[in-house]
Every structure is written in structure tokens, then in C-alpha cells.
């Protein structure tokens, strides 16, 4: 399947490095989804509180006007990106927009309508149907509903990613935080012990304060970055745009030409960081060339600073 996460690249090389010394590793997967570690949990809880006040004080037409203004591109890209994650930039009456569009999808539901052809939209259906089914079944306070939904959906994807990348490097990864007894225990922990302000996993940090340095326990949470944004800052951006606008790409009937051009134009002008969106389209097209068109993956140097996956015809 296509590689959705840029962090898969980093994870593969970390696994490959670990394989030089060991055959099995322990990882922390699952601790965020069981103990509220992601910033989005605390942010959503706070955002939800402020949204209730905001909606009670302002009429719907005003809220739509504000959202349209944020999405118009008039504001500086950094400010717009921050506001898009708040209650003023999201429709609080729509949970898919307020949470799933906000933190999960590279392309929001509205952007999918612009990017995908009618045929592709018909094939894909409702991208949030599975997540919403678990959300509707969840119970308890807001944090525990978020955790339950993520455990049943988002975490499954992360475990698949970890399994793929670790096994590609011939190393086994174990997930002690997902021992079923521990997971059942965390489900009963009151939200106030997991979240403090905008910080998560509070109870876990307290539990290991005497085992690890304070600077490690309470350092700012970090993702697993790749230099993808740096790679896109050079001439290789033109190569990627050319690939995604080739007739063979567009003739698949999945994406709209004008939407792709808009993505690259916004990115070049600095109006919006579309790196994650470009990554997903690139990997989808590369996957199709390899697995549907029967091409062999090769490595072609696009610039001295970057190497990206491209394909060449399979020899007969």
C-alpha cells in the first residue's frame, strides 16, 4: 500500500541502525493513545470548551464569515495555520471538521471535493465513516472518547507502519504499553491525571520522575521528522509537479489537474505549507506505477541534497 507517513522513512532507517546490534526492540507505541500524550487531546478538550462559549455568543453567519476569512489566504501562512486549528477556524457543530479534518487528514473533506474527480469521490465514499462509527460508540468524558476512537483507528495505522518498517529491516518490535492489562487500567484513569494544561501523559511522567532526568521527562514532545520540507525547497519541487501533472498520472481519473497546480503554486508562494499533501500524492502515484503499471522502483538523484523514489519501465 502507499506510504502515508513521511516518518516511515525515518523509522525504517532507525530500525536498520538498530538491527546492526539487536534483533528485538521495545517501543513506546500506544502510550500516547492510552495516556493522552498527543497535544491534540489537550488542545481539543480546551478548544471544545472555548467553542461552546463562542457559539453561544456569536451567530452562525458570523462564524462562517470568520472561517471563510481565515481560509481565504489573506492572512500570513503561519497565522492562518494556527487559526485553522482553533475553534474560530473550525465548525464546532461538525465533529468531523472540528477533530478529524483538524488533526488527521492531509486533505479536509472540502479539499477532497476539490482534489478528487467525481469518479474518485464515488469510489472513496465517506473517508470518516469508520472513525465516526467508533466515535459514536464511545462513552465517558471527551478525553476518553478521543482515546477510545484513536485506539480503534489511528493506532492501528501506526502499528501497521511500525511493523512494516521494522520487518523491512528484519527487526522485531514489541509494544509493552499495549499489554491488555495496562490498557484496561489506563481506560479507568480520570482525565485530570493524564492531561495538565496542554501537556499529556502526566501520570506516566510522575511515575518515572525518579528514573529519568527531569530534562528528559518534561522535554517538549517531538514528532519523528524527515527533511521533507527542506527537500521541497529546491528544484526537485518542479520535478514532482511535472510527475503529478503527466498525462499518465491524470489519465487515471483520480485527481483534478487544477487542484494539483494550486497545491504547488501555494507552496512556492509560501501561502501554505502543502508538503504533506504533495507527499501523499507523490507516494500514491509512485505506488500505482510500481504495483499497477509494473515498473521497477529505482533511485534517481534529483538534487545534491535529495533523493526521491521514481520508476522506470520493467525490462522484458
Amino acid at each position: 500500500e502507499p506510504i502515508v507517513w513521511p516518518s516511515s522513512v525515518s523509522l525504517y532507517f532507525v530500525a536498520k541502525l538498530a538491527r546492526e546490534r539487536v534483533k528485538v526492540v521495545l517501543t513506546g507505541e500506544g502510550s500516547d493513545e492510552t495516556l493522552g500524550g498527543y497535544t491534540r487531546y489537550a488542545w481539543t478538550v480546551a478548544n471544545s470548551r472555548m467553542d461552546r462559549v463562542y457559539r453561544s455568543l456569536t451567530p452562525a453567519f458570523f462564524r462562517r464569515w470568520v472561517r471563510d476569512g481565515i481560509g481565504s489566504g489573506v492572512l500570513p501562512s503561519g497565522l492562518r495555520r494556527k487559526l485553522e486549528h482553533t475553534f474560530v477556524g473550525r465548525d464546532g457543530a461538525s465533529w468531523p471538521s472540528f477533530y478529524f479534518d483538524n488533526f488527521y487528514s492531509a486533505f479536509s473533506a472540502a479539499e477532497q471535493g476539490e482534489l478528487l474527480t467525481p469518479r474518485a469521490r464515488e469510489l472513496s465514499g465517506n473517508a470518516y465513516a469508520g472513525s465516526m462509527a467508533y466515535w459514536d460508540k464511545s462513552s465517558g468524558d471527551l478525553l476518553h472518547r478521543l482515546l477510545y476512537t484513536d485506539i480503534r483507528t489511528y493506532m492501528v495505522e501506526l502499528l501497521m507502519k511500525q511493523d512494516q518498517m521494522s520487518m523491512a529491516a528484519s527487526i522485531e518490535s514489541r509494544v509493552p504499553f499495549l499489554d491488555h492489562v495496562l490498557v484496561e487500567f489506563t481506560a479507568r484513569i480520570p482525565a485530570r491525571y493524564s492531561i495538565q494544561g496542554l501537556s499529556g501523559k502526566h501520570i506516566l511522567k510522575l511515575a518515572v520522575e525518579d528514573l529519568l532526568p527531569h530534562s528528559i521527562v518534561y522535554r517538549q514532545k517531538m514528532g519523528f521528522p524527515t527533511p521533507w520540507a527542506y527537500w521541497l525547497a529546491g528544484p526537485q519541487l518542479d520535478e514532482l509537479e511535472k510527475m503529478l501533472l503527466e498525462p499518465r498520472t491524470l489519465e487515471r481519473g483520480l485527481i483534478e489537474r487544477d487542484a494539483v497546480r494550486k497545491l504547488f503554486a501555494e507552496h512556492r508562494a509560501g501561502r501554505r505549507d502543502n508538503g504533506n499533501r504533495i507527499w501523499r500524492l507523490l507516494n500514491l502515484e509512485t505506488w500505482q506505477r510500481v504495483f499497477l503499471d509494473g515498473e521497477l522502483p529505482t533511485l534517481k538523484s534529483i538534487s545534491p541534497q535529495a533523493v526521491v523514489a521514481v520508476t522506470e519501465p520493467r525490462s522484458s
Side-chain angles (χ1 to χ4, degrees), residues 219-243:
R219 67 181 176 180
Q220 184 177 355
K221 186 170 178 58
M222 298 174 62
F224 206 170
T226 61
W228 180 239
Y230 173 69
W231 291 341
L232 289 187
Q236 56 271 14
L237 188 64
D238 297 333
E239 297 286 338
L240 300 183
E241 182 177 21
K242 180 180 177 181
M243 176 184 178

Side-chain angles (χ1 to χ4, degrees), residues 280-300:
R280 282 158 174 78
L281 293 180
L282 168 66
N283 276 274
L284 175 62
E285 177 57 23
T286 301
W287 177 82
Q288 290 179 108
R289 293 188 180 195
V290 173
F291 291 99
L292 302 185
D293 299 346
E295 296 185 359
L296 290 171
T298 65
L299 291 178
K300 176 184 176 183

